[in-house]
Amino acid sequence: MEQVNGDTLAAARKVIAVHINYPSRAAQRGRTPAQPSYFLKPSSSLSLSGSAVERPAGCELLGYEGEIALVIGKAARRVSIEDAWRHVAAVTASNDLGVYDLRWADKGSNLRSKGGDGFTPVGPALIPADAVDPARLRIRTWHNGDLVQEDTTEDLLFPFARLVADLSQLLTLEEGDIILTGTPAGASVAKPGDVLEVEVQTLDGGLSTGRLVTTVEEGTTAFADFGARPKVDDLQREEAYGSREAAGLAAVGPVLTPELKAKLESVATATLSSQMRKRGLNNVSIDGLQATRPDRRVVGLARTLRYVPNREDLFKTHGGGFNAQKKAIDSVNEGEILVMEARGEKGTGTVGDILALRAQVRGAAAIITDGGVRDYTAVAGLDMPTYFANPHPAVLGRRHIPWDTDITIACGGATVQPGDVIVADSDGILVIPPAIAEELVEDCIQQEKEETFIFEMVKQGNSVDGLYPMNSEWQARYKEWAGNSND
């Protein structure tokens, strides 16, 4: 096969990169685009395999992203999707490098952050486009010898031919131009001394670009004060590393500690409900559902998914591929509860056995939907509980379009927000605002202790008059009882 060389780089008048194209990356980023979007990298950012890349002086976050690069072989202007692949000469490996420290100054252009010299290594070999099926390629990235990215082009959000056709609607793709086609999940940060490798091969292993090797070096020339200077925050660190955990950052938002979770599991749903009523919260129960595992009690933080009524034209754009339903299932985390708004529509399923199993494998504590469940026997056989309105054999598209995730929704007559605390058992399902969870459960524990005393007094033959609720005399006797029980 032909090798990428200086002539290849010199022929590239444009380098165009796609923002998000792999479902795994979309799930990691928490957003799935309906249409492809792009940015330009200067041709001066191109480099060959074996080259070094400089992490600019004063920068902390040099991000790497293994990608498949398309090399245009014949000018393309307003070509169709069916004709687009004939305008591609070859595919090769690439690494879309960039410094997150300068993103703040880019205003979306990515010029400063991703346009540096050597920030787009490509190679080492070119695989002829007419020798491959573009939907049957594998991309892999190694960081200091560890495999950190691996994915295939089988379920891309935007297949390669679509990218070429789409771009050609507005600009002429010229011979030698390079298109970077997106990166899968697993991209992260490299430091001086690190070695990055990227390889593209056919799924059968018959053709390979070989490994594109790039070594990271530390820059020594500081930025002058007449231009933007490096600046990072925790958001950029999270974006660069892929998660707060990977970046070594503390979790944000509501946290369900093991201690709080244990306390919530220890008190009755009825007690929680009564304490919320005392606080004026009367509409916090998800009603009308049944459980596949009524013997189980679950406590977790809510993740949300909203379905809208089916409309055929919208289902074509939002119902297929890595849609909001699959995105929600594939991003639910350990101990979380996926709550679905299905408008109480019982005439179709909202989750089936495969997606429910995927949620269980990811560690979800439960699924709650006010719609139907398909493959009921298989779903009921899972260890993870599912709360649902009724079984129904119909597929999702009969009544629903999966529309959005992690937004405020309505389920079973209750409003649910991402991060709300959900407590569910055979007595019902409650939605607890996270800000009051600690205080609420302490009052519940106290209430149940009082009710234990009342129960014992009634058992001994005392009348409930003045005892339930307790008057001042019984309050005094309770305090004495409680003191003795704590000894």
Side-chain angles (χ1 to χ4, degrees):
M1 287 186 294
E2 183 181 348
Q3 298 294 297
V4 175
N5 54 34
D7 291 339
T8 310
L9 305 190
R13 298 182 62 181
K14 296 186 291 294
V15 180
I16 305 170
V18 179
H19 280 109
I20 293 178
N21 198 15
Y22 286 80
S24 61
R25 180 71 162 178
Q28 186 181 46
R29 284 295 198 226
R31 56 184 183 272
T32 302
Q35 301 292 341
S37 60
Y38 314 94
F39 60 93
L40 285 168
K41 300 189 75 170
S43 57
S44 56
S45 70
L46 292 166
S47 64
L48 298 171
S49 182
S51 301
V53 65
E54 179 184 286
R55 186 182 74 175
C59 289
E60 172 189 334
L61 304 173
L62 177 66
Y64 61 83
E65 300 176 3
E67 305 203 12
I68 298 172
L70 311 182
V71 181
I72 297 298
K74 183 173 66 173
R77 176 67 167 135
R78 295 195 176 110
V79 301
S80 66
I81 292 177
E82 293 73 22
D83 186 52
W85 191 246
R86 295 197 302 109
H87 292 261
V88 179
V91 299
T92 191
S94 64
N95 197 336
D96 182 14
L97 298 162
V99 282
Y100 284 73
D101 312 62
L102 293 172
R103 288 179 83 193
W104 69 272
D106 268 340
K107 310 302 182 186
S109 72
N110 286 340
L111 179 62
R112 290 178 177 88
S113 60
K114 287 186 174 261
D117 289 353
F119 276 23
T120 316
V122 293
L126 295 166
I127 302 176
D130 59 8
V132 301
D133 177 349
R136 299 279 297 168
L137 297 172
R138 174 177 285 107
I139 173 79
R140 291 188 293 176
T141 305
W142 292 264
H143 183 184
N144 292 333
D146 295 328
L147 182 64
V148 291
Q149 290 185 284
E150 182 171 15
D151 213 329
T152 75
T153 58
E154 292 178 296
D155 60 350
L156 291 176
L157 300 176
F158 313 112
F160 294 160
R162 178 174 172 181
L163 299 178
V164 173
D166 183 38
L167 286 166
S168 77
Q169 294 184 94
L170 290 172
L171 52 91
T172 299
L173 295 172
E174 300 165 297
E175 183 179 353
D177 285 352
I178 292 175
I179 302 173
L180 308 185
T181 58
T183 194
S188 189
V189 172
K191 299 178 180 179
D194 288 354
V195 177
L196 302 168
E197 300 170 278
V198 184
E199 181 184 24
V200 175
Q201 63 179 182
T202 54
L203 289 186
D204 62 9
L207 296 172
S208 170
T209 62
R211 293 197 186 187
L212 168 68
V213 181
T214 307
T215 303
V216 181
E217 295 181 348
E218 180 70 275
T220 57
T221 303
F223 285 90
D225 59 7
F226 51 73
R229 303 182 67 134
K231 182 171 63 176
V232 297
D233 55 24
D234 285 352
L235 175 60
Q236 295 305 325
R237 292 186 178 94
E238 179 181 355
E239 289 272 303
Y241 281 95
S243 69
R244 293 187 65 83
E245 181 181 9
L249 301 171
V252 296
V255 176
L256 188 61
T257 65
E259 294 77 14
L260 176 57
K261 184 173 183 288
K263 288 178 180 179
L264 288 167
E265 289 172 337
S266 72
V267 296
T269 306
T271 309
L272 290 165
S273 179
S274 67
Q275 283 295 330
M276 282 196 284
R277 284 181 63 85
K278 289 181 180 180
R279 290 163 170 79
L281 294 168
N282 298 308
N283 300 299
V284 288
S285 63
I286 297 176
D287 298 330
L289 307 185
Q290 54 186 306
T292 59
R293 295 294 305 271
D295 57 313
R296 295 284 299 280
R297 179 180 175 88
V298 295
V299 176
L301 295 181
R303 297 287 299 277
T304 61
L305 167 64
R306 179 168 68 104
Y307 297 109
V308 298
N310 186 30
R311 206 178 85 185
E312 287 74 10
D313 60 322
L314 295 177
F315 194 87
K316 289 179 181 178
T317 58
H318 289 76
F322 196 63
N323 58 30
Q325 179 199 43
K326 293 177 182 176
K327 172 184 167 185
I329 293 289
D330 220 43
S331 64
V332 67
N333 297 313
E334 184 79 26
E336 293 178 336
I337 296 175
L338 180 57
V339 186
M340 300 179 178
E341 175 187 334
R343 310 177 313 284
E345 170 57 64
K346 300 179 179 181
T348 191
T350 56
V351 69
D353 57 345
I354 293 176
L355 293 185
L357 175 61
R358 176 60 176 160
Q360 176 175 287
V361 168
R362 287 193 58 83
I367 290 175
I368 298 173
T369 173
D370 61 357
V373 165
R374 295 183 67 219
D375 312 307
Y376 171 75
T377 301
V379 173
L382 297 177
D383 187 56
M384 178 195 69
T386 294
Y387 298 81
F388 63 104
N390 60 281
H392 199 283
V395 297
L396 183 71
R398 181 168 184 256
R399 299 284 174 85
H400 300 302
I401 306 172
W403 197 256
D404 209 350
T405 62
D406 290 325
I407 59 170
T408 300
I409 64 168
C411 181
T415 297
V416 182
Q417 293 190 300
D420 281 343
V421 178
I422 306 294
V423 178
D425 61 15
S426 57
D427 282 340
I429 306 168
L430 294 177
V431 182
I432 302 173
I436 70 167
E438 289 275 7
E439 170 195 317
L440 182 78
V441 76
E442 293 298 336
D443 288 349
C444 287
I445 291 171
Q446 177 62 29
Q447 177 182 328
E448 292 198 344
K449 191 172 183 180
E450 292 176 359
E451 290 176 350
T452 298
F453 168 75
I454 293 170
F455 184 85
E456 288 297 324
M457 296 303 101
V458 171
K459 189 176 180 181
Q460 293 176 18
N462 292 284
S463 169
V464 295
D465 184 26
L467 173 61
Y468 186 52
M470 290 186 286
N471 57 24
S472 57
E473 178 183 350
W474 277 111
Q475 285 283 358
R477 292 180 63 178
Y478 166 72
K479 289 179 181 179
E480 180 182 358
W481 174 86
N484 291 334
S485 65
N486 288 331
D487 292 340

